[in-house]
């Protein structure tokens, strides 16, 4: 099975640059990603964020992208599910309309929210984000799947109603969650959902444990769109002509991103039991923010180097049983992002998905030819 590649962006805007210009740059990056063979573009949802991250209305961007792209799939990564941020029925309506306008190219991955700055702005209780996400996703799926539906839960009570319009994809577009805890991985598997799995810098062994928890719990939802597990991993990403060039361009930006997480997650861990597991990742995050070797080679989150190095690094994740990689190309200039998208399309994607059309060294081909000669000679002697 081929490996799927996604361009994942949080629309990060550099200090001194224009938010408005950055938004148009993002559109250009998504269009180039389609041209270069990426399978999907995934956009984060962040509100009142600090540090340049400005993806506050990805659903609007998807409506625009639906008109200026033709093939590439469009994915929310993630739609925030606390009721005060996104009512589940409104999320279902937006997904359905975007799916129609994109001719059936939408996918929705959901999340519970992971920043106190957004939760406080929308008066969200951290203790309620997990049950609201799970209940909201149940309502969302039922509204899209059934003609006339009704719903009775703790947070949502809906009398008999009909979702208008319904999505183009039947029974509905692929739906998944972003998960960092073992509990959420198992829940996603038991619900038959797709998965975007992240280890919060805690290494390959922990990442494998989380993926295994999802597979162990997997149970097909006979009323849903997936007939088998689907696992993707988000990778903080950089690429250059050489390993050193990639490090020079991306290392500080990637380590800075880890330091931002180090600041946010410990606060969340203190606010609700459902977030307490995040405190376990603090030592790993702190190390990732100061130790390049750990971040690149041991954290299980980051890929950076020349095309050949990037290929070898991604193969490690593929060996874990994943089907998708979401390449987080952000935190650098638009020009560098465009260059990175083109390099991935030229050198990395073909290695995984079109190997017969990739030019290989002459010696490697000759070795294969020589290896077959004894077989051909034996067949010729037998036929004589």
């Amino acid at each position: 099975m081929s490996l799927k590649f996604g361009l994942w962006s949080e629309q990060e805007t550099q200090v001194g640059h224009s938010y408005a210009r950055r938004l148009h740059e993002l559109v250009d990056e998504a269009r180039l990603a389609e041209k270069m063979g990426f399978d999907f573009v995934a956009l984060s949802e962040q509100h009142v964020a600090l540090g340049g991250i400005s993806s506050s209305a990805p659903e609007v961007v998807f409506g625009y992208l639906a008109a200026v792209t033709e093939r590439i799939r469009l994915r929310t990564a993630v739609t925030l599910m606390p009721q005060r941020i996104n009512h589940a029925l409104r999320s279902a309506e937006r997904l359905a309309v975007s799916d129609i306008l994109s001719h059936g190219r939408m996918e929705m991955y959901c999340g519970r929210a992971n920043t106190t700055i957004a939760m406080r702005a929308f008066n969200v209780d951290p203790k309620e984000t997990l049950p609201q996400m799970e209940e909201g996703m149940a309502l969302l799926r039922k509204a899209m799947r059934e003609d006339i539906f009704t719903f009775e839960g703790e947070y949502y009570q809906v009398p008999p109603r009909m979702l208008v319009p319904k999505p183009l994809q039947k029974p509905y577009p692929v739906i998944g969650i972003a998960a960092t805890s073992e509990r959420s991985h198992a829940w996603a598997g038991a619900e038959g959902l797709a998965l975007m799995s992240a280890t919060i810098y805690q290494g390959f062994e922990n990442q494998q444990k989380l993926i295994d928890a999802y597979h162990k719990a997997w149970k097909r939802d006979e009323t849903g769109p997936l007939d088998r597990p689907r696992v993707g991993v988000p990778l903080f990403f950089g690429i250059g002509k050489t390993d050193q060039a990639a490090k020079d361009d991306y290392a500080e930006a990637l380590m800075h991103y880890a330091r931002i997480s180090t600041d946010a997650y410990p606060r969340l861990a203190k606010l609700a039991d459902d977030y307490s597991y995040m405190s376990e990742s603090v030592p790993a995050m702190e190390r990732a923010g100061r130790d390049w070797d750990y971040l690149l080679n041991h954290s299980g989150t980051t890929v950076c180097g020349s095309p050949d190095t990037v290929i070898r690094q991604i193969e490690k994740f593929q060996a874990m049983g994943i089907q998708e990689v979401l390449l987080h190309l952000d935190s650098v200039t638009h020009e560098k992002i465009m260059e990175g998208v083109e390099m991935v399309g030229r050198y990395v994607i073909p290695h995984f998905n079109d190997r017969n059309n990739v030019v290989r060294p002459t010696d490697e081909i000759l070795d294969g030819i020589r290896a077959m000669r004894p077989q051909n000679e034996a067949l010729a002697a037998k036929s004589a």
Side-chain angles (χ1 to χ4, degrees), residues 192-226:
L193 298 170
L195 175 71
M196 184 169 79
S197 172
T199 182
I200 322 183
Y201 301 100
Q202 294 180 88
F204 291 97
E205 184 178 344
N206 188 67
Q207 180 66 81
Q208 187 68 68
K209 181 181 75 171
L210 295 175
I211 293 173
D212 290 346
Y214 169 73
H215 282 291
K216 183 178 180 180
W218 170 263
K219 180 181 179 182
R220 183 182 177 188
D221 176 7
E222 298 294 338
T223 65
L226 289 182

Side-chain angles (χ1 to χ4, degrees), residues 132-258:
Q132 284 188 9
M133 180 190 77
E134 294 179 356
E135 186 173 303
M137 291 181 71
L139 169 57
L140 185 148
R141 287 182 281 169
K142 190 172 188 183
M144 289 189 294
R145 183 179 65 241
E146 299 179 6
D147 182 21
I148 306 295
F149 73 95
T150 185
F151 192 89
E152 189 68 31
E154 180 180 356
Y155 300 99
Y156 292 101
Q157 298 83 40
V158 183
R161 293 291 185 270
M162 182 172 68
L163 183 71
V164 180
K166 291 285 199 297
L168 189 64
Q169 297 180 77
K170 305 301 180 188
Y172 49 80
V174 168
I175 293 178
I177 67 164
T180 54
S181 71
E182 188 170 351
R183 184 255 181 222
S184 289
H185 280 73
W187 180 80
E191 291 288 312
L193 298 170
L195 175 71
M196 184 169 79
S197 172
T199 182
I200 322 183
Y201 301 100
Q202 294 180 88
F204 291 97
E205 184 178 344
N206 188 67
Q207 180 66 81
Q208 187 68 68
K209 181 181 75 171
L210 295 175
I211 293 173
D212 290 346
Y214 169 73
H215 282 291
K216 183 178 180 180
W218 170 263
K219 180 181 179 182
R220 183 182 177 188
D221 176 7
E222 298 294 338
T223 65
L226 289 182
D227 60 1
R228 67 191 67 181
R230 182 193 286 191
V231 184
V233 292
L235 299 175
F236 301 113
F237 185 78
I239 191 169
K241 292 181 179 178
T242 66
D243 289 349
Q244 187 61 50
K247 181 179 179 181
D248 291 344
D249 287 336
Y250 289 93
E252 180 50 38
L254 293 171
M255 294 173 74
H256 176 69
Y257 201 94

Side-chain angles (χ1 to χ4, degrees), residues 7 9 11-15 17-33 249-250 329-342:
L7 174 66
S9 178
Q11 201 179 310
E12 187 169 356
T13 308
Q14 301 297 296
V15 173
H17 290 208
S18 161
Y19 287 119
R21 180 173 179 176
R22 178 73 191 103
L23 191 50
H24 286 284
E25 290 173 347
L26 174 62
V27 172
D28 290 340
E29 291 157 12
R31 296 179 73 180
L32 180 62
D249 287 336
Y250 289 93
L329 261 168
D330 241 335
S331 307
V332 293
T333 65
H334 170 61
E335 291 73 23
K336 281 294 174 188
I337 294 172
M338 294 288 275
E339 180 182 298
V341 168
E342 184 164 353

Side-chain angles (χ1 to χ4, degrees), residues 64-77:
Y64 190 94
L65 288 178
V68 298
T69 60
E70 296 178 356
R71 175 194 59 80
I72 199 165
R73 297 187 69 78
L74 309 173
R75 178 183 300 182
T76 67

